Amino acid sequence: MEIWINPACSKCRGALTLLDAEGAEYTVRRYLEDVPTEDEIRAVLDRLGLEPWDITRTEEAAAKELGLKEWARDAGARERWIAALAGHPKLIQRPIITADDGTAVVARTEDAVREALARGKE
């Protein structure tokens, strides 16, 4: 599995601690340094079963500068949101774990991390 993290994020550190405690094998992607492409964001969204606005941190300064809260949240606006996430990776909700079974979870809670771990063992 792979986990997208920001090392400064307490939720990310907590997820890593739990993964380590469970002896999980995973790869860390510091997504602020190794910025996901638009195609990678689309792939993760498909795995999550979510839309880009569902994983956008709308309270970040960049979100306010872009006026994201006023953007449409429909199929016609989807690519605009994906481009914003690729252009401003700090807007991506974290951590995101892509499980070995092809799914993904936004792992902001211990239960979500455990869900990803369970998917990796199936």
Side-chain angles (χ1 to χ4, degrees):
M1 69 179 72
E2 181 177 80
I3 181 168
W4 291 9
I5 68 155
N6 172 352
C9 167
S10 62
K11 300 275 187 198
C12 294
R13 292 191 306 272
L16 292 173
T17 298
L18 182 53
L19 291 173
D20 289 341
E22 294 293 326
E25 291 183 26
Y26 61 91
T27 303
V28 170
R29 179 171 186 170
R30 294 178 178 213
Y31 72 93
L32 297 179
E33 299 163 16
D34 182 8
V35 179
T37 65
E38 290 183 23
D39 284 341
E40 288 174 311
I41 292 169
R42 280 186 208 92
V44 163
L45 288 167
D46 288 346
R47 292 174 80 166
L48 287 166
L50 296 174
E51 293 297 338
W53 45 85
D54 296 326
I55 66 162
T56 300
R57 298 171 57 85
T58 57
E59 296 303 316
E60 291 288 335
K64 292 176 180 175
E65 289 170 22
L66 293 169
L68 288 183
K69 286 192 175 183
E70 281 73 51
W71 288 16
R73 295 177 182 218
D74 58 29
R78 189 172 200 264
E79 290 304 311
R80 183 180 185 199
W81 282 86
I82 290 170
L85 293 174
H88 306 275
K90 198 167 192 178
L91 296 176
I92 299 172
Q93 192 61 263
R94 59 190 182 249
I96 294 176
I97 298 175
T98 55
D100 293 338
D101 70 352
T103 61
V105 296
V106 177
R108 293 189 55 75
T109 65
E110 184 175 314
D111 286 344
V113 176
R114 291 193 183 284
E115 179 183 336
L117 282 166
R119 290 177 181 181
K121 293 176 184 172
E122 292 175 357

